[in-house]
Amino acid sequence: MVAEPVHDVPARQGKRRGDGWAAARYLAPTLLILVGLLGYPLYQLVLISLFDYGQEQASGGAPLEFLGLGNYQKLFGDAQFWTVLTQTVGFAAVCVLGTLAVGGALAVLASRVRAVPRMILFLAALGAWATPAVAGSTVWMFLFDTDFGLVNEVLVGLGFDGMANYSWTYDKFVAFGLVAAQVIWCSFPFVMVTLYAGIIAIPKEILEAASLDGASTARTVRTVMLPLLRPLLVIVTIQSIIWDFKLFTQIYVMTGGGGVAGNNLVLNVYAYQKAFAASEYGMGSAIGVVMTVLLLAVTLVYLRALRRSGEPL
């Protein structure tokens, strides 16, 4: 190995600095746009959370009262907030794990079937992905309707007489399960397409070598494919966590705004109720700030774990 000449080191370092400044100049317009589109609304969200901001203040009928961290103290002292936070974390975890499991399994299947079945699978998956959340949630509610739902009629026809006029949204956990199934249905195509692209990019020689060594399909997936797909898995996991943690539409539509007596509230719906139903905009903004901080923390933890593992970001 030939040592690098000492006089070339400063030149190379200067070149890297120059490349960095050139990249920064190219990215500056995008950064300014992101600051305008994301930074300013986030600033307003934090600002409103520091005030007693209700309907009277919004209409100009009463002056703003600065509370500082008063909204956050009230929020953290509310037992309902901790219940909703726990429900949100549990619900998001189920949705993320289900999405990764279904999407990953179908990605492996798509890489092993012929062209025509693969095309049919992708068209069906992309149809579910392209369906608007409101429309998809409404269709699912028709399917699981208490009186006229197809699912109840089929189950009764199969001999499950207890499913006649069964309400899928009355029980707290059954309702969460129904919404989670709908979320997984409309979310798994992103995971499937992303992981499929990663699978077909794996050199065939590596998979053939594992097969010649006597590795089973399950072992090949566990010891060969998953390590190579780890960067993609981190990306789809972070995306799924962000999407599912801030879920609103499916819960609001399928449970009628949060379920019976608010049993199926998640943080986004809880913030909506506080801000608009109760006209407590300051409290709703505080919940939004807490959600943003939690999502940023999750993202940073995953990126740090990825960097420690030595994988490129």
Side-chain angles (χ1 to χ4, degrees):
M1 182 176 178
V2 180
E4 183 180 8
V6 176
H7 64 272
D8 287 346
V9 174
R12 291 180 181 273
Q13 291 178 346
K15 185 177 183 300
R16 290 182 188 140
R17 293 194 192 98
D19 293 341
W21 281 111
R25 287 196 298 270
Y26 280 115
L27 293 175
T30 303
L31 181 61
L32 291 176
I33 294 175
L34 288 176
V35 169
L37 294 178
L38 300 177
Y40 182 72
L42 185 60
Y43 162 75
Q44 287 291 334
L45 185 71
V46 175
L47 185 63
I48 293 174
S49 71
L50 302 177
F51 288 88
D52 180 13
Y53 195 87
Q55 186 62 42
E56 293 182 353
Q57 288 78 12
S59 61
L64 288 174
E65 180 183 352
F66 182 74
L67 300 179
L69 299 179
N71 283 325
Y72 295 96
Q73 292 175 351
K74 181 179 178 181
L75 181 66
F76 295 146
D78 186 1
Q80 186 182 19
F81 166 75
W82 295 106
T83 300
V84 173
L85 177 60
T86 303
Q87 292 179 173
T88 304
V89 172
F91 175 75
V94 171
C95 291
V96 170
L97 293 176
T99 301
L100 292 176
V102 174
L106 291 179
V108 174
L109 176 64
S111 66
R112 294 177 177 271
V113 299
R114 297 182 181 273
V116 174
R118 181 167 60 245
M119 182 180 298
I120 295 174
L121 175 61
F122 272 89
L123 288 175
L126 292 177
W129 194 16
T131 303
V134 174
S137 301
T138 303
V139 170
W140 273 65
M141 289 307 299
F142 280 137
L143 291 174
F144 289 87
D145 184 74
T146 302
D147 300 315
F148 307 106
L150 177 63
V151 174
N152 283 2
E153 291 185 6
V154 170
L155 290 175
V156 171
L158 293 176
F160 297 95
D161 296 333
M163 300 304 297
N165 300 322
Y166 179 77
S167 175
W168 292 85
T169 58
Y170 181 79
D171 181 79
K172 173 180 178 178
F173 296 103
V174 175
F176 267 131
L178 179 62
V179 179
Q182 200 277 337
V183 172
I184 293 170
W185 171 78
C186 68
S187 301
F188 82 84
F190 170 74
V191 176
M192 184 187 76
V193 172
T194 304
L195 295 184
Y196 172 76
I199 290 173
I200 63 175
I202 297 176
K204 294 183 179 179
E205 294 80 5
I206 297 178
L207 301 179
E208 291 175 357
S211 177
L212 292 175
D213 288 340
S216 62
T217 301
R219 186 173 182 181
T220 300
V221 171
R222 186 177 67 254
T223 61
V224 178
M225 296 176 67
L226 287 181
L228 294 174
L229 294 174
R230 185 173 181 179
L232 289 179
L233 285 171
V234 172
I235 292 174
V236 296
T237 300
I238 292 174
Q239 289 278 12
S240 298
I241 290 174
I242 293 174
W243 288 342
D244 296 338
F245 193 85
K246 63 184 184 66
L247 196 74
F248 176 84
T249 304
Q250 288 88 339
I251 286 286
Y252 192 83
V253 172
M254 297 181 69
T255 65
V260 180
N263 286 332
N264 296 105
L265 285 175
V266 292
L267 279 179
N268 235 352
V269 179
Y270 184 54
Y272 175 84
Q273 288 189 352
K274 286 291 185 182
F276 298 102
S279 297
E280 297 180 11
Y281 304 120
M283 182 62 69
S285 298
I287 299 173
V289 172
V290 171
M291 289 181 59
T292 303
V293 171
L294 290 175
L295 290 175
L296 287 175
V298 170
T299 303
L300 291 175
V301 167
Y302 270 89
L303 291 178
R304 186 175 181 182
L306 184 61
R307 180 174 296 177
R308 283 184 173 180
S309 68
E311 299 287 349
L313 296 178

